[in-house]
Amino acid sequence: MAPLSAGALVVFALIAAALTLFVTEWLSPDMTAIAVLVSLAVLEPYTGVPAREAIEGFASPAVVTIVAMYILSAGVEQAGLVDWLAARLATLTRGDENRLLAAIVGTTSVSAGFVNNTPIVAVFIPLVTSLAERYRISPSRLLLPLSFAAMLGGTLTLIGTTTNLLASDISRDLLGEPFSMFTLTPVGVVVLLVGVAYLLTVGQSLVPERIHPAADFTEEFDMDRHLAQLTVRESSPLVGLTVAEALDGGELEALVDETDGVAATADEEAPSDAVDPIDVDVLQIDRDGESFFATATDWPIEADDVLTVRGSKQAVNQFAERYELRQLPRESVTEELLAESGHAGILAEAVVDGESRLLGRTLGDVGLRSRFDVTVLAIRRGDTVIREGFAGVELAAGDTLLVQTPVDEILHLDEEGYLVLTEGPPELFDVIHDEAAPPTLGPRALVPVGILVAVIALAALGVVPIYIAALGGVVAMVATGSLSASRAYDAVSWNVVFLLAGLLPLGAAMQATGGATFVGGLLAGAGTVLPPLALLALFYLLTAVIASVITPVATVVLLAPIAVATAQDVGLSGAPFLFVVTFAVATAFLTPVGYQTNLMVYGPGGYRFTDYARVGGPLQLLLCAVTTVGVAVVWPL
C-alpha cells in the first residue's frame, strides 16, 4: 500500500472538520461546504485543487440540472398537479386506513421519481393530517410512510434525487460515463416495489401511534397546564387600555413577547413593581360572546372581560395577582375556545423545514408576534414539547410550532419560506387549495406537465444532455407563462446549490492526493476475506449509516471515490460499487436528519428519534440485500 501523503493528511483533516460541523451544525451545511471549498483552494500546494477548479462545481452539470429541476418542479406544482392528485386520493380512499396508506405510498413514490419530492411531501402533509383527523386515524401512522415512499421513488430516475445527479457527475469523472435518464430504473423499480410492499405490511405494524387520532391541538401539545382564563376585575389597572396601549405604556411589561424576546418599553411613570417580566402571553379577549385576537384588536379592556393567556401555573398566578385578575378553571381552555371566532385568528401547526429562513435563529431574534401577529404557544421537537421560555429557543429543522394567528399572516409566513403549514382548521386550507372548487387539470395546467415530459424525453433519447434539456424547459416554463421569472428564482433552494458546489472539489482533492486510493486500499483488505457480493453489501450499509448522520450529498462525495478505488484494488469493476453507494444515499431511513422529507414529518407525526430506526432499520437491511443483488445482476462485478 502506498504511504499516506502530506496532502492526503490535509484533506482528511478538512474532512474531519467538515464532518464535525455537519453533525454539530455550528455552521449551516451550505456554509460548511463553502468553507471546505475555500480551504481546498488556499491549501492548493497540499490539496492539488487550484482556485479555478475549486469553483467549477458551480458550473457542474449536476448543479445546473438541480437548479433547473427545482424550477421545473415549481412549475408543475403551481399548475396544480400535486393538488389534483391529493384531491383524487381523498375521494378514492373514503376513510379506510389501509386504502389511504396504499394511496399515499403509491402516489408519492411514483411522483417523486420525476418531480422534486420536497413540494410533494409539503402538499401531502396537511392533506394527510386533515384526512387522519376526519377519519380518526393517527397521523403518525401515515406520515413516516409518506416520507419513506418519497425517498424510494427517488431511485427511479436520474432526476429523482440530487444525489443521483451528483453520482452521475462522479461517474463521468471516475468511470468516463455519466448516468442516462433511466440508468437506475431497472434496480430502482425493484427497490420501489420491495419498499412499498414492506411499508404496506411489516412497516405498517411497526409505525407507532404517537399522536392520538382524536386529540385536538391543546391535547396534542399537552397544553392543559399552560393555558388559562382570567377575568378582569373593576380595580384592575388594565381597565380602559387596549392591549397595544398597555404594552406601550408599561402596564403589561409582564407580557414580554417571548416570541420576539423584546420587552415593551416602559415610560418613566411605569410602576416600580412592574419591572420584572413574567413569561405570559395574552392570546385573546372574550366579551359578550365574541372573541378577539389580543394583539390585533383596538378594543379597550373592560371589567369582566375574560383574557385567555399562555403561561405556566406559577407565572399565571403571579400575573393574576399583579394585575388584579380572577382565575377561571383551567380545564375550560380548549382548541375550540381558542378558535371559536374569526376575530381571534386560528390555531395552526407549522414546521421549520431544512430550507427555512428561521433555521438557527432564536424566536427572540425573529419577532413573530411583533412583526407578523403570530403567537407561538408551543414547540414540539420530536417527542419533546417546549411550552415556555421561547425567546432563547434556537429553531432547528424539524421543529413544529403551534401558533395562534390570523389566516393571512400564517399564509404569508408559508409563502415567504419561514414555515411549512402542516395542520389547521378547514378554512385555512380552503384558502390554500380552494377546496370549494376541487382542483382540475385544464389545458393551461397541462402545459408545464408537457414541458417536464418533453425534458425527460429529450434527455432519455440522448438528443441533448439532461442539463441542456432542463434549462430549455426552464425557458419554456417562463415563456409560456407557466411560471414567472421571479417565482423561478425563488423556487431554487440555493443552500442546496451551495452545498453541492462546495463539496464537489472535495472528491477531486481525495483523488489528487491519493486519499481515496489509500482508504480504498484499507477497505480492499476486507475484499481478501469477503466475497465480492458481501463487499458490495458492506459498502451499502456503510453508506446508509453515514448518510443518516450527515448529509447524503456529503456522503456520496466522500464514499463514491473510495468505493471505486476499493473495487479497482481488488480487481473488480468500479461501476457496481458506485451504483450501490448511489442507491444507499437515496434511502437513508435510519434518522430524521438524514433526509429532508424525514425532517418535515418529524414534528407533525410526533415521532421519537428512534422511530426512524425502528421502522427504517428492517427496511434498510431488506434493501441492502435487494439492492446488492440487483446491482450485481444489472452491472456484473
Side-chain angles (χ1 to χ4, degrees):
M1 183 184 301
L4 195 61
S5 67
L9 287 173
V10 170
V11 171
F12 288 153
L14 288 176
I15 291 172
L19 293 179
T20 301
L21 291 172
F22 281 135
V23 173
T24 61
E25 295 185 346
W26 183 75
L27 271 180
S28 63
D30 51 325
M31 287 299 102
T32 296
I34 297 302
V36 169
L37 182 155
V38 172
S39 300
L40 289 171
V42 170
L43 299 171
E44 178 194 350
Y46 298 99
T47 64
V49 179
R52 180 173 292 275
E53 185 178 336
I55 63 170
E56 284 180 355
F58 288 98
S60 158
V63 174
V64 172
T65 305
I66 288 161
V67 169
M69 290 310 300
Y70 271 121
I71 297 171
L72 293 175
S73 294
V76 172
E77 181 191 3
Q78 187 165 298
L81 177 62
V82 179
D83 283 335
W84 180 82
L85 287 173
R88 300 288 76 75
L89 181 152
T91 302
L92 293 173
T93 55
R94 295 191 297 273
D96 181 85
E97 181 176 343
N98 293 330
R99 193 184 301 151
L100 182 58
L101 179 63
I104 291 168
V105 169
T107 304
T108 56
S109 59
V110 174
S111 302
F114 303 94
V115 181
N116 187 284
N117 55 22
T118 300
I120 291 174
V121 172
V123 169
F124 268 77
I125 288 176
L127 172 85
V128 168
T129 53
S130 64
L131 289 176
E133 182 179 0
R134 183 189 307 173
Y135 299 121
R136 293 191 172 272
I137 302 169
S138 171
S140 310
R141 301 277 294 161
L142 303 172
L143 291 175
L144 198 58
L146 168 68
S147 175
F148 283 6
M151 295 167 67
L152 289 167
T155 64
L156 286 176
T157 67
L158 171 64
I159 60 175
T161 72
T162 56
T163 54
N164 289 355
L165 290 160
L166 191 54
S168 176
D169 252 19
I170 295 171
S171 177
R172 184 198 62 218
D173 294 339
L174 299 182
L175 303 176
E177 185 178 358
F179 300 167
S180 69
M181 177 62 68
F182 297 110
T183 296
L184 301 172
T185 305
V187 176
V189 169
V190 177
V191 167
L192 176 61
L193 292 176
V194 171
V196 167
Y198 170 88
L199 291 175
L200 297 180
T201 54
V202 177
Q204 185 179 17
S205 65
L206 294 175
V207 176
E209 185 180 292
R210 295 298 181 201
I211 296 176
H212 192 275
D216 68 10
F217 280 133
T218 55
E219 295 171 336
E220 185 180 325
F221 284 81
D222 194 20
M223 293 295 296
D224 59 324
R225 294 191 299 269
H226 287 77
L227 293 173
Q229 286 193 300
L230 307 170
T231 301
V232 179
R233 302 178 190 271
E234 290 186 3
S235 57
S236 172
L238 305 182
V239 172
L241 299 176
T242 65
V243 172
E245 287 172 343
L247 284 167
D248 292 339
E251 291 292 345
L252 286 186
E253 64 287 85
L255 299 182
V256 165
D257 188 350
E258 290 294 333
T259 60
D260 17 75
V262 181
T265 303
D267 60 24
E268 295 180 355
E269 298 180 0
S272 59
D273 65 343
V275 293
D276 295 326
I278 304 173
D279 185 8
V280 168
D281 286 323
V282 174
L283 306 179
Q284 69 185 46
I285 302 171
D286 294 276
R287 179 184 304 163
D288 299 329
E290 287 194 89
S291 300
F292 298 88
F293 194 48
T295 58
T297 181
D298 56 0
W299 279 28
I301 297 172
E302 297 180 358
D304 297 324
D305 281 352
V306 176
L307 308 182
T308 302
V309 301
R310 177 212 59 82
S312 67
K313 183 176 181 179
Q314 180 180 5
V316 171
N317 287 342
Q318 186 179 358
F319 179 71
E321 182 178 353
R322 177 175 295 177
Y323 296 107
E324 299 184 40
L325 309 171
R326 180 170 57 85
Q327 293 194 50
L328 300 178
R330 279 182 173 252
E331 59 269 17
S332 61
V333 183
T334 63
E335 177 184 343
E336 183 179 1
L337 183 146
L338 284 172
E340 66 183 5
S341 169
H343 299 294
I346 60 163
L347 286 186
E349 181 184 84
V351 170
V352 179
D353 69 3
E355 300 170 9
S356 170
R357 295 167 65 178
L358 300 180
L359 276 180
R361 302 177 65 184
T362 65
L363 282 172
D365 295 331
V366 175
L368 288 181
R369 190 170 195 183
S370 60
R371 293 171 58 195
F372 301 106
D373 258 349
V374 173
T375 302
V376 177
L377 304 185
I379 304 171
R380 184 167 60 220
R381 184 168 290 169
D383 61 338
T384 301
V385 180
I386 304 168
R387 305 178 190 85
E388 53 188 281
F390 299 140
V393 176
E394 185 175 304
L395 294 172
D399 285 353
T400 299
L401 309 184
L402 174 62
V403 297
Q404 187 187 34
T405 169
V407 171
D408 56 345
E409 292 296 350
I410 193 65
L411 291 177
H412 175 70
L413 288 175
D414 182 78
E415 292 166 358
E416 293 298 316
Y418 288 92
L419 297 164
V420 176
L421 284 174
T422 55
E423 193 173 354
E427 60 266 25
L428 175 59
F429 294 103
D430 285 349
V431 174
I432 299 174
H433 301 300
D434 192 16
E435 292 182 359
T440 58
L441 289 181
R444 186 68 183 169
L446 293 178
V447 171
V449 177
I451 292 172
L452 179 62
V453 171
V455 167
I456 294 171
L458 290 171
L461 294 173
V463 178
V464 291
I466 176 64
Y467 51 93
I468 298 299
L471 286 175
V474 169
V475 174
M477 283 281 186
V478 177
T480 59
S482 300
L483 200 68
S484 67
S486 60
R487 176 72 180 90
Y489 286 112
D490 290 341
V492 179
S493 295
W494 294 106
N495 58 333
V496 174
V497 172
F498 277 81
L499 175 65
L500 290 169
L503 289 179
L504 276 172
L506 190 57
M510 289 180 65
Q511 292 292 112
T513 60
T517 302
F518 179 82
V519 177
L522 293 177
L523 291 172
T528 62
V529 295
L530 292 176
L533 201 61
L535 185 61
L536 201 61
L538 177 64
F539 264 99
Y540 179 96
L541 291 175
L542 180 64
T543 303
V545 170
I546 294 176
S548 295
V549 177
I550 63 174
T551 67
V553 170
T555 303
V556 75
V557 169
L558 293 175
L559 288 187
I562 293 172
V564 172
T566 302
Q568 293 171 345
D569 275 354
V570 297
L572 298 173
S573 169
F577 284 80
L578 176 60
F579 282 118
V580 86
V581 167
T582 302
F583 280 103
V585 294
T587 53
F589 301 117
L590 299 178
T591 69
V593 299
Y595 205 80
Q596 164 82 329
T597 58
N598 279 351
L599 275 173
M600 291 172 70
V601 302
Y602 188 35
Y607 297 116
R608 297 174 183 169
F609 197 91
T610 54
D611 289 337
Y612 289 80
R614 171 183 172 177
V615 181
L619 178 57
Q620 200 86 75
L621 293 174
L622 177 61
L623 291 185
C624 175
V626 170
T627 304
T628 301
V629 173
V631 166
V633 169
V634 177
W635 301 282
L637 293 163

